[in-house]
Amino acid sequence: MLLAKELCRSCLRARYLPRPKVQWCRDYNKYAPVPRWIEQSKNALSRGMPNDQYSSDIAHFQSYTSLTSPKEQAVAANRFNHNGVYYAIDPWFNIPENVINKLNRRLHLRKDHPISITRQIIESVFPPPTYKYYHDFDPVVTTHQNFDSLGFPKDHPGRSKGDTYYINSETLLRTHTSAHQADVFHTNASEGYLISADVYRRDEIDKSHYPIFHQMEGARSWDRAKVANGDVAAAVLSDLEKVPKHSIEVQDPNPPFHEERNPRQEAHHSPAEVEAISAHLKRSLELMVVEIFTRAKAAAVRADPNYVGEPLQVRWVETYFPFTSPSWELEVYYDGDWLEVLGCGVVKQDIYINAGVPNQLGWAFGIGLERIAMLLFKIPDIRLFWSEDERWSSQFTGVSSNLDSLKPFVPFSKYPACARDISFWLPLPSSADSGDAEAKNPEWCENDFMEILRGIAGDLVEDVKLFDEFTNPRSGKKSMAYHINYRSLDRTLENEEVNTLHREFEKALSKKLGVEIRDSKAQKK
């Protein structure tokens, strides 16, 4: 508002500029500080700037004076605009601006980005025409696509607003690439497929979790009506012979299925079919892991010719997923510990049936690209994937065109952390009705806490840890205490800047969750 008034003094024609708060920039589609050139333009205008330049500057200045951000626009209009498609919003709408602003970044398709490079490496193990690649599915899906089509129970925790970003009660941002599985099965364009995409989940804050990440979904199917004599097991074993073999050590002590721990779908699959499909699945994914970690070792040797490393070891662990049975996780021995890298299994036959291809059966897997990229490139912090710093991006230039040039990431700096502690009382259920309108739900959800902090501090918050909680035996009130590390990836944070962010967080926490702040301290390091 002040800037608009000052412009008025410099040029009478500028006095008609709108004067809302200066915060959201439509040109850049994000929050941005008003650049210094606008202040300089004020002086230039008073010296007689040409009309065409004047008009251009005023138009851009107006882009900084929009009254609303995308989320505020959605709430005001009662609809959410994504790439020109409008969706009605309702009380389920909970997508924060820091997520909205990244919806179209699509790192998995950005040339020479570690996520895209990792995708390329995985795709090289599953070549066309057997496998068809899908990269462009829209992130907005229905609850049926994301949950119902995959057999998620109605009370599954993944359906909650605490875990998932909703536009309305029936529309959301996909939480996994499996949201497109049934649609691809229905299209039936190839025997196998790979889907890579950005996915969205409300989550904790640390160096390995981010509300937006990238997954790859893969599947391979066989059709009873198309294989010789309808013998799927024989067809799968024949195809297995075409999959290259490897020499790594594999620990797989369990049988292909177990009727209690890891059951086959008895009504649909014979023991021979499950054994054949699981063998094809496991060798295919083991081969993928070999490709990834062979490239990781080669990159380490390029960086340090004396690097030796450990022999690659993998193991299969029985598990449960709503959309496969039997199911497994594949773990890799890395840096002295077993690390889960993917989940997979024999596809639930109901998914094929509901997709209109009841004669098909096969396997599917899902893998997180960030986790693999962090191992492959030795990237220490998941926030780096979103960096626009040239010191980051220049390290991967040319790798998409020549995967053999891959090298580990070299940190360009480690700026000091600014630590803060915060403790607060949770509201009692009996007092919830008398509090702020936004804080009437007394049920504590830690992801709400994380979302409020991310919404205020963005990528300046590095990690958050709960270090104390207790319940007062007299009042029944529960206290929570968290340690927060603020750290920028590209500059040193000033204490006053962090103090301002932290105070804003305190106010938002009290307003939105109804908590009573007990203590909030700075810890200098």
Side-chain angles (χ1 to χ4, degrees):
M1 293 177 68
L2 177 60
L3 180 56
K5 291 179 181 178
E6 291 177 349
L7 279 169
C8 290
R9 299 190 197 106
S10 299
C11 176
L12 291 176
R13 284 182 293 181
R15 67 181 177 181
Y16 298 109
L17 288 174
R19 297 186 296 172
K21 65 179 181 180
V22 178
Q23 184 176 14
W24 181 259
C25 177
R26 295 194 302 270
D27 284 1
Y28 298 144
N29 192 32
K30 65 179 182 180
Y31 283 101
V34 177
R36 186 174 298 175
W37 65 260
I38 288 184
E39 186 68 21
Q40 295 169 342
S41 294
K42 172 188 63 176
N43 298 325
L45 286 170
S46 66
R47 295 193 299 270
M49 177 182 288
N51 286 340
D52 57 346
Q53 182 65 49
Y54 160 78
S55 299
S56 173
D57 278 358
I58 292 305
H60 191 60
F61 170 73
Q62 286 176 320
S63 78
Y64 274 87
T65 57
S66 172
L67 275 169
T68 56
S69 68
K71 181 172 183 178
E72 291 167 333
Q73 291 170 10
V75 173
N78 208 35
R79 61 181 186 173
F80 177 73
N81 176 11
H82 175 58
N83 292 339
V85 179
Y86 289 86
Y87 302 88
I89 67 171
D90 63 18
W92 282 73
F93 181 67
N94 66 344
I95 308 175
E97 288 158 10
N98 58 300
V99 170
I100 294 173
N101 296 340
K102 291 183 171 70
L103 276 174
N104 292 319
R105 291 284 295 275
R106 305 207 304 172
L107 302 183
H108 63 292
L109 296 180
R110 182 174 290 190
K111 185 179 179 180
D112 291 335
H113 190 284
I115 298 298
S116 181
I117 295 166
T118 303
R119 170 187 60 79
Q120 286 180 258
I121 291 172
I122 295 174
E123 286 178 347
S124 71
V125 183
F126 302 95
T130 302
Y131 295 89
K132 182 177 174 64
Y133 306 149
Y134 298 89
H135 302 141
D136 298 315
F137 285 128
D138 195 273
V140 177
V141 298
T142 64
T143 52
H144 175 79
Q145 289 174 297
N146 202 79
F147 298 122
D148 300 334
S149 70
L150 298 167
F152 276 73
K154 292 296 183 183
D155 60 352
H156 193 281
R159 292 178 180 261
S160 73
K161 289 175 66 177
D163 282 7
T164 297
Y165 292 116
Y166 282 90
I167 296 174
N168 56 53
S169 61
E170 297 180 349
T171 313
L172 51 88
L173 299 181
R174 63 182 164 226
T175 63
H176 45 207
T177 47
S178 299
H180 305 289
Q181 186 182 79
D183 294 331
V184 175
F185 282 153
H186 178 74
T187 302
N188 199 20
S190 58
E191 295 174 337
Y193 69 80
L194 293 178
I195 300 170
S196 58
D198 42 328
V199 298
Y200 303 79
R201 294 182 195 171
R202 304 175 92 224
D203 213 335
E204 59 192 289
I205 299 176
D206 60 33
K207 294 182 181 181
S208 61
H209 291 86
Y210 202 78
I212 311 167
F213 57 106
H214 298 76
Q215 278 188 343
M216 182 168 278
E217 164 96 3
R220 176 72 163 87
S221 301
W222 291 264
D223 194 320
R224 295 186 193 277
K226 295 181 179 180
V227 301
N229 303 316
D231 191 343
V232 171
V236 174
L237 291 175
S238 176
D239 287 335
L240 176 61
E241 292 303 311
K242 304 171 188 175
V243 179
K245 296 180 180 180
H246 58 75
S247 59
I248 65 169
E249 178 184 340
V250 178
Q251 298 180 25
D252 190 12
N254 298 309
F257 62 90
H258 188 280
E259 297 300 347
E260 294 181 357
R261 295 193 315 266
N262 207 17
R264 70 182 170 96
Q265 301 163 60
E266 189 173 349
H268 302 289
H269 305 153
S270 70
E273 289 171 339
V274 174
E275 289 180 18
I277 291 172
S278 64
H280 192 283
L281 160 69
K282 289 180 178 180
R283 186 185 296 178
S284 298
L285 298 184
E286 288 163 5
L287 196 66
M288 179 186 71
V289 167
V290 169
E291 177 70 12
I292 291 169
F293 284 87
T294 298
R295 289 194 176 276
K297 184 174 182 178
V301 170
R302 277 191 288 273
D304 178 8
N306 296 318
Y307 178 82
V308 177
E310 298 174 315
L312 182 60
Q313 301 177 63
V314 302
R315 71 180 182 186
W316 291 97
V317 179
E318 294 177 337
T319 190
Y320 165 80
F321 297 115
F323 32 84
T324 56
S325 186
S327 304
W328 302 272
E329 290 174 344
L330 179 57
E331 297 183 348
V332 173
Y333 193 74
Y334 182 81
D335 273 356
D337 200 4
W338 288 100
L339 178 70
E340 175 204 338
V341 294
L342 61 86
C344 60
V346 178
V347 177
K348 285 284 185 73
Q349 199 62 31
D350 285 346
I351 296 176
Y352 284 115
I353 294 170
N354 294 335
V357 286
N359 290 326
Q360 293 193 7
L361 64 163
W363 55 256
F365 78 92
I367 188 169
L369 295 181
E370 271 84 353
R371 169 168 287 190
I372 300 303
M374 291 176 83
L375 296 174
L376 189 61
F377 292 92
K378 296 191 180 299
I379 294 170
D381 193 318
I382 196 169
R383 294 176 298 164
L384 279 164
F385 289 114
W386 298 92
S387 175
E388 298 287 355
D389 195 312
E390 188 177 352
R391 293 172 296 177
W392 154 265
S393 58
S394 63
Q395 296 194 38
F396 314 107
T397 301
V399 179
S400 287
S401 301
N402 179 15
L403 295 178
D404 291 335
S405 65
L406 189 155
K407 293 181 180 179
F409 168 67
V410 179
F412 41 81
S413 187
K414 176 110 176 184
Y415 296 93
C418 287
R420 301 290 186 271
D421 290 345
I422 184 170
S423 60
F424 49 85
W425 295 108
L426 298 181
L428 290 171
S430 59
S431 64
D433 291 338
S434 60
D436 188 280
E438 295 186 50
K440 287 190 175 183
N441 184 4
E443 188 174 336
W444 171 252
C445 174
E446 188 172 73
N447 281 346
D448 291 337
F449 173 92
M450 302 294 178
E451 284 295 308
I452 293 171
L453 180 54
R454 270 200 173 107
I456 290 170
D459 287 352
L460 295 182
V461 58
E462 180 180 61
D463 60 59
V464 180
K465 294 180 181 178
L466 176 70
F467 69 85
D468 185 53
E469 60 179 316
F470 74 93
T471 300
N472 187 308
R474 293 191 176 185
S475 66
K477 294 175 69 175
K478 186 174 183 179
S479 171
M480 313 284 285
Y482 288 86
H483 182 76
I484 303 171
N485 271 332
Y486 297 91
R487 191 199 306 266
S488 172
L489 293 170
D490 53 24
R491 62 187 176 87
T492 298
L493 295 177
E494 299 292 336
N495 268 315
E496 187 52 43
E497 177 184 4
V498 174
N499 288 340
T500 300
L501 287 173
H502 200 67
R503 284 193 293 267
E504 188 177 346
F505 172 54
E506 290 176 355
K507 293 176 182 177
L509 199 62
S510 297
K511 180 178 177 63
K512 295 182 178 181
L513 300 186
V515 305
E516 177 187 344
I517 303 297
R518 297 184 60 215
D519 196 12
S520 184
K521 297 178 180 178
Q523 292 184 359
K524 297 182 180 179
K525 290 189 176 181

